[in-house]
Amino acid sequence: MKYFEVEFTITPCSQVAQDLLSALAGEAGFETFEETTNGLKGYVQQALFDQAALDRVLEGFPLEDTHILYKVEEAEDRDWNEQWEQEGFEPIGVRCQTADGRSRTLVIHDGRHLPSDVSLQPSDIEIEIDAHLAFGTGTHETTRMICATLLGMDLNGMKVLDCGCGTGILGICALKLGAQHCVGYDIDEWSVDNTRHNAVINRVDDRLQPLHGDATVLSGFASEFDLVMVNINRNILLQDMERFVSVMKPGATLILSGFYQADCQLLEEKANGLGLTIKQTKNDGDWCCLAFQYQ
């Protein structure tokens, strides 16, 4: 997929200004940022870039006497995971306490850095992720929070939907925790292929169905999912939440992440209007994860 690279110059530049800008720029579709000496570099999918929304954010920036200029360029078309693919990552442990008081652990590794120093219990699981041009290795706070939420649930026999599946890590996690079947979709064809690849590695390819497209692919499904997981930026969540709900069974769970704590109220209001009730909130730094139940 094609990205814009937007260089922001903040005067005077401070950590507070950088944090505020990265949080507020989500309204314009930005997914990730790099800190620079004088501000930030932001990356946004070209199809999702809302320049008018960005201008509104900057006009109403809450820090007085702070001035922000920006320059938009087409990002270099490269393998965004190139360094990760070359170096890999150390095994990641995600732990959660289940409803019956037991502790459960998920270990995520890349196949090169094996969890030799981790003693897994029979109820624990491990996932191998080989990421190519896709998001979702478990290193990001939002992925870990959703995985922790799944660890605390009883997923036996569930039919699961993973929206914006990336590497397929969330669907694979759900299947290893007892879900019966998972459908995933992503607008990036590389991600769909990577999900399929990782499903084979983890021996769940017979139960994971990856699709290429955006939320419009859900028009081919009825109200059949027990669990829907979405790790996407705030604007897409608000835009597509009604579609997510349209394929959920009564009593189903919707888990959302990919946004900041400052976005929670807006997302909760949207969810409440669609018949969803908040059941659980997790925070990791500025990032947030919300779990809802559909009435």
Side-chain angles (χ1 to χ4, degrees):
M1 65 184 72
K2 298 291 185 179
Y3 279 79
F4 285 127
E5 179 182 276
V6 181
E7 185 168 357
F8 295 93
T9 302
I10 306 172
T11 308
C13 186
S14 67
Q15 187 66 56
V16 173
Q18 289 173 319
D19 291 344
L20 277 171
L21 177 58
S22 62
L24 293 171
E27 297 181 14
F30 283 83
E31 296 179 7
T32 189
F33 297 89
E34 297 176 7
E35 293 187 0
T36 64
T37 303
N38 299 313
L40 292 174
K41 281 186 180 180
Y43 297 90
V44 56
Q45 292 180 39
Q46 293 184 11
L48 303 179
F49 182 39
D50 187 340
Q51 190 163 4
L54 178 60
D55 290 337
R56 288 194 298 271
V57 163
L58 299 183
E59 288 171 8
F61 198 69
L63 292 182
E64 294 184 9
D65 301 322
T66 297
H67 304 281
I68 302 175
L69 301 175
Y70 69 89
K71 179 175 66 175
V72 181
E73 295 183 343
E74 187 165 318
E76 179 186 355
D77 189 10
R78 59 187 173 89
D79 185 340
W80 294 94
N81 279 338
E82 181 178 1
Q83 182 177 359
W84 183 93
E85 290 172 10
Q86 292 174 354
E87 299 178 1
F89 65 98
E90 292 299 320
I92 298 161
V94 179
R95 292 174 177 82
C96 180
Q97 193 150 348
T98 61
D100 59 6
R102 293 181 297 113
S103 178
R104 199 170 199 186
T105 301
L106 162 68
V107 176
I108 305 161
H109 61 85
D110 64 359
R112 287 168 287 177
H113 300 79
L114 298 176
S116 57
D117 60 340
V118 178
S119 179
L120 294 177
Q121 301 300 314
S123 62
D124 297 335
I125 63 171
E126 65 175 285
I127 294 175
E128 180 178 336
I129 292 296
D130 182 15
H132 296 283
L133 288 167
F135 174 82
T137 61
T139 58
H140 197 275
E141 294 91 335
T142 57
T143 307
R144 294 198 303 268
M145 284 190 289
I146 294 181
C147 287
T149 302
L150 296 177
L151 283 170
M153 299 175 62
D154 180 2
L155 304 183
N156 286 325
M158 285 192 176
K159 186 170 183 180
V160 175
L161 174 66
D162 182 5
C163 307
C165 53
T167 63
I169 185 172
L170 298 180
I172 292 168
C173 181
L175 291 169
K176 288 204 166 189
L177 287 168
Q180 181 180 32
H181 186 75
C182 178
V183 174
Y185 71 83
D186 203 292
I187 61 172
D188 184 352
E189 192 169 358
W190 278 96
S191 293
V192 176
D193 290 341
N194 197 212
T195 290
R196 187 177 294 112
H197 171 70
N198 285 318
V200 171
I201 291 175
N202 288 278
R203 300 180 181 180
V204 296
D205 51 302
D206 58 332
R207 296 185 288 143
L208 202 162
Q209 177 187 1
L211 303 174
H212 181 217
D214 58 17
T216 59
V217 303
L218 299 180
S219 60
F221 296 89
S223 302
E224 56 191 88
F225 293 100
D226 304 286
L227 170 64
V228 177
M229 308 171 292
V230 199
N231 190 7
I232 306 179
N233 74 69
R234 187 200 70 175
N235 285 358
I236 300 299
L237 293 176
L238 291 170
Q239 172 186 296
D240 292 343
M241 199 182 302
E242 191 168 354
R243 289 186 181 271
F244 305 152
V245 173
S246 72
V247 297
M248 293 170 63
K249 292 179 179 178
T253 298
L254 173 65
I255 303 174
L256 304 179
S257 197
F259 52 90
Y260 296 102
Q261 292 186 47
D263 301 319
C264 287
Q265 183 176 351
L266 190 59
L267 287 162
E268 285 189 48
E269 289 173 356
K270 176 74 172 182
N272 291 340
L274 295 172
L276 295 161
T277 303
I278 187 73
K279 292 297 181 184
Q280 189 178 91
T281 301
K282 292 182 184 295
N283 298 312
D284 191 338
D286 292 331
W287 297 98
C288 188
C289 176
L290 300 176
F292 298 91
Q293 185 173 27
Y294 184 41
Q295 303 302 314

